[in-house]
Amino acid sequence: MPIVAKAGFRKICIDLPPAELCVPFYITAALPMSFGCGTAWFVIDSAEALEHQLTLQCPELCKEMEPRQQEMLMTNQEWRPERREQKQFVGEGAPSGENSFQEGGETLGREGAPTQGTANAILQLQSSFKREGTPENEGLKEQGLRPSQDYSGLGKEGRSSSPAEEMVILKRAVKEEDMLPAGERRCEDSLMRELSEMVQKVVKKSSWWEKHGIDVTIIALNFLFLPVGFLLLRSDSIFSFLMGIVVLGVAHFTITVKGSHLASHSSLVESKSWGKVLAIFFEEVCSAFTAEQGTYNHVKLHHGYTNVIGLGDSSTWKIPFLNRYVYMFIAPIAIPIITPLVAIGLLKEVRLKTAIRTLCCMFLGLYSHYWLLINISEFRSTWSALGCMLLTRSLLAHSYIHVNIFQHIGLPMFAPNKLPKRIHMMSSGVLNLPRNALLDWSFGHSLISCHTEHHLFPTLSDNMCLKIKPLVSQYLKEKKLPYNEDSYLARLKLFLNKYEELMVHVPPITELVGIQ
């Protein structure tokens, strides 16, 4: 089976036929050490000795690989227990060969943007294989600080993918990738590394309550508000009825938006098993969407390739045939209807058992809402109950749409073959809105006032993003990097005035001179 080995700073790849896909790992044990190639075993005491022995034992198979090519193929496996506790950082979208670690359930980002070749590879995979087979190792690191949940043992799109197809695309992408100068790459590496170390110190000193407890409590309180909202709808008083609508609407968006968002990033709990359960519950039962597609499109594409044309450019939010006023003020009301319909359409991408699970979860969530309105709130007709469901589930839909387009569209967009480094991509392509009590409560800080921090360190909870905000903003400004901030009203005016330019036409591609 093919082996990718690293000793010191020398990286070499051995292809042992008939395997088609590389099974990479790091040799992180101290030298000297024993190492096997097929049936041949030998002792090495240096990187040069490793290369020499591998070449000697497998002369026809050994070949040199460029460092950036290795980064696309390597994942991390710690051999020595004492090394697992060392602080190592992995970038949010890093398909790199840098070491990674998890400490206390939190892994922090280290610089390393998705490579240009990998971006091209994913585009080719999407067109040639209907989005099957996005490179597994690439996708895992593009999610940020920790790997995403795997709900059904499927490929990245919920379907089984072909390893041979993935490898062909990856190898082609590797050959086409442009290399950054070593000095420039080290400089950019040091920026994200320095910021990651600073953030890691804050995270390490934070308690469980700060890292998870506050956000879990907010979500739990909204579940407790649900009975109050259903009971208020029984009242004959118009004021009480409207209060019931508001309570249920705010609780619904807090659970579905804040809860689903944190669950998709594994930010609610440190347990992977419970993380999977919560992701399915929040995304499928509460939000009536599919967990696999939600995780893939948001975590792997949007976060891995933020503002990259054709990948994470937020184009899914664009509906060019609608005029500006219909899109901005009327269309959001239809979100509760459109969401489950889109989810059902995406189920053809997953296995049958996963589709059945998703349909059952969606039915359970929607029917439970309907049953409570009929039996607890005492609605007398089906249509009145369905109308109330639509009203409560679209209460904050306008702000939900606006936030999603305000924070990325209209900012620099990048071509897949000319990607800046992760820290430059995030500082340039992400915008923070001012703090707002209602939106912070319902959507979470990571979607409102700490969106840049969230994209840099995506597995941190909302409260932790708020805690590191002063540190991140100060660091980016000191390093003369962009830190985009604007008000909600200013962005609304911008999108109304330039709707066709921003939401209809293809955005211009930005090249960061001196950074590329």
Side-chain angles (χ1 to χ4, degrees):
M1 183 169 290
I3 297 174
V4 176
K6 173 183 176 181
F9 298 98
R10 302 298 295 273
K11 305 174 185 178
I12 50 184
C13 179
I14 306 300
D15 289 321
L16 302 182
E20 296 179 283
L21 189 62
C22 189
V23 178
F25 64 94
Y26 272 153
I27 298 177
T28 55
L31 300 176
M33 61 173 289
S34 297
F35 184 77
C37 179
T39 59
W41 284 86
F42 45 87
V43 177
I44 59 173
D45 56 5
S46 66
E48 290 73 15
L50 172 63
E51 180 180 348
H52 172 73
Q53 291 291 347
L54 288 176
T55 305
L56 183 64
Q57 299 293 334
C58 311
E60 73 283 0
L61 300 174
C62 188
K63 60 181 178 179
E64 291 286 346
M65 293 188 71
E66 296 177 350
R68 286 290 293 277
Q69 296 173 0
Q70 287 287 353
E71 291 173 1
M72 298 181 63
L73 298 175
M74 287 186 179
T75 52
N76 303 313
Q77 290 188 3
E78 303 292 339
W79 279 25
R80 294 169 59 195
E82 62 268 27
R83 294 182 66 90
R84 295 174 186 169
E85 298 179 0
Q86 292 181 357
K87 298 180 180 179
Q88 304 163 6
F89 302 87
V90 174
E92 175 188 342
S96 66
E98 302 286 352
N99 294 340
S100 66
F101 85 108
Q102 284 190 346
E103 187 175 82
E106 295 291 352
T107 324
L108 288 181
R110 182 179 180 179
E111 196 283 339
T115 60
Q116 302 164 7
T118 310
N120 290 329
I122 290 185
L123 284 173
Q124 295 178 45
L125 285 170
Q126 289 177 331
S127 60
S128 302
F129 308 117
K130 297 180 181 179
R131 301 190 327 193
E132 296 179 1
T134 302
E136 178 67 22
N137 296 333
E138 180 71 15
L140 287 176
K141 297 207 171 128
E142 276 145 21
Q143 300 162 42
L145 314 181
R146 288 189 301 224
S148 68
Q149 309 296 351
D150 182 7
Y151 306 95
S152 58
L154 306 178
K156 277 53 63 184
E157 277 294 301
R159 294 170 58 179
S160 58
S161 58
S162 168
E165 291 172 352
E166 294 181 9
M167 204 58 191
V168 168
I169 298 299
L170 272 178
K171 287 181 177 179
R172 185 186 306 124
V174 166
K175 293 178 181 178
E176 297 173 351
E177 184 180 354
D178 294 326
M179 297 291 294
L180 282 172
E184 181 179 340
R185 185 169 63 252
R186 285 194 298 269
C187 178
E188 292 174 344
D189 288 347
S190 64
L191 289 177
M192 191 63 198
R193 184 183 302 112
E194 183 181 7
L195 178 59
S196 298
E197 290 172 351
M198 294 166 64
V199 171
Q200 174 62 20
K201 291 178 181 178
V202 176
V203 174
K204 188 175 181 180
K205 294 178 181 178
S206 301
S207 64
W208 177 89
W209 173 254
E210 292 177 300
K211 290 189 285 187
H212 304 289
I214 292 177
D215 292 296
V216 170
T217 301
I218 291 174
I219 295 172
L221 286 174
N222 281 272
F223 276 106
L224 296 177
F225 292 157
L226 291 178
V228 177
F230 284 112
L231 291 174
L232 285 173
L233 293 179
R234 300 177 57 175
S235 175
D236 294 330
S237 169
I238 295 179
F239 177 77
S240 297
F241 182 84
L242 293 177
M243 283 298 299
I245 294 291
V246 172
V247 170
L248 288 180
V250 172
H252 170 77
F253 274 88
T254 305
I255 294 169
T256 58
V257 178
K258 180 184 178 74
S260 296
H261 186 234
L262 292 177
S264 68
H265 285 288
S266 305
S267 301
L268 286 174
V269 293
E270 297 179 2
S271 167
K272 291 183 178 180
S273 299
W274 277 108
K276 294 178 182 180
V277 173
L278 291 175
I280 292 173
F281 173 73
F282 281 108
E283 295 186 54
E284 297 189 352
V285 177
C286 301
S287 304
F289 202 71
T290 164
E292 280 79 7
Q293 295 295 327
T295 299
Y296 177 83
N297 287 290
H298 177 72
V299 179
K300 293 189 177 182
L301 287 185
H302 176 64
H303 275 270
Y305 298 94
T306 302
N307 285 23
V308 177
I309 301 296
L311 293 171
D313 59 359
S314 301
S315 58
T316 54
W317 296 102
K318 296 182 179 182
I319 309 178
F321 60 85
L322 295 181
N323 70 52
R324 66 196 69 197
Y325 298 105
V326 172
Y327 179 89
M328 300 294 285
F329 302 111
I330 299 177
I333 299 175
I335 281 184
I337 300 173
I338 295 173
T339 299
L341 294 178
V342 171
I344 292 173
L346 291 173
L347 291 181
K348 65 179 182 292
E349 303 284 346
V350 302
R351 289 180 179 175
L352 179 60
K353 65 178 182 179
T354 304
I356 293 174
R357 183 207 70 202
T358 300
L359 287 174
C360 291
C361 290
M362 291 169 58
F363 176 79
L364 175 63
L366 293 171
Y367 184 76
S368 297
H369 192 175
Y370 170 80
W371 186 90
L372 289 169
L373 290 174
I374 294 293
N375 294 276
I376 303 300
S377 301
E378 298 182 349
F379 278 75
R380 295 184 174 85
S381 70
T382 298
W383 289 109
S384 61
L386 293 177
C388 185
M389 288 178 63
L390 177 64
L391 187 58
T392 54
R393 287 173 174 258
S394 62
L395 184 69
L396 298 178
H398 295 80
S399 296
Y400 177 68
I401 290 290
H402 295 169
V403 165
N404 276 281
I405 63 176
F406 288 172
Q407 294 183 318
H408 293 285
I409 297 176
L411 298 173
M413 296 282 172
F414 311 101
N417 63 339
K418 292 186 178 180
L419 298 183
K421 281 293 189 175
R422 171 62 50 182
I423 192 168
H424 299 288
M425 180 186 292
M426 295 309 165
S427 62
S428 301
V430 184
L431 177 140
N432 287 345
L433 296 171
R435 294 196 62 178
N436 179 287
L438 177 60
L439 298 184
D440 285 343
W441 176 272
S442 302
F443 297 166
H445 300 297
S446 61
L447 290 179
I448 305 300
S449 59
C450 306
H451 204 50
T452 299
E453 291 75 11
H454 169 62
H455 269 261
L456 287 168
F457 306 100
T459 62
L460 293 183
S461 64
D462 288 336
N463 184 67
M464 286 305 300
C465 286
L466 183 63
K467 186 174 182 179
I468 69 170
K469 179 182 174 70
L471 185 153
V472 173
S473 61
Q474 180 181 359
Y475 180 83
L476 294 180
K477 291 173 182 177
E478 286 179 354
K479 300 300 180 181
K480 311 256 184 242
L481 292 172
Y483 189 77
N484 300 313
E485 295 179 297
D486 203 357
S487 68
Y488 189 103
L489 183 59
R491 298 297 288 176
L492 180 61
K493 291 180 178 178
L494 175 67
F495 274 74
L496 289 176
N497 294 332
K498 297 184 177 181
Y499 180 80
E500 289 189 358
E501 176 184 338
L502 298 174
M503 300 297 292
V504 177
H505 301 309
V506 177
I509 294 174
T510 301
E511 293 189 22
L512 302 179
V513 178
I515 295 176
Q516 296 290 0

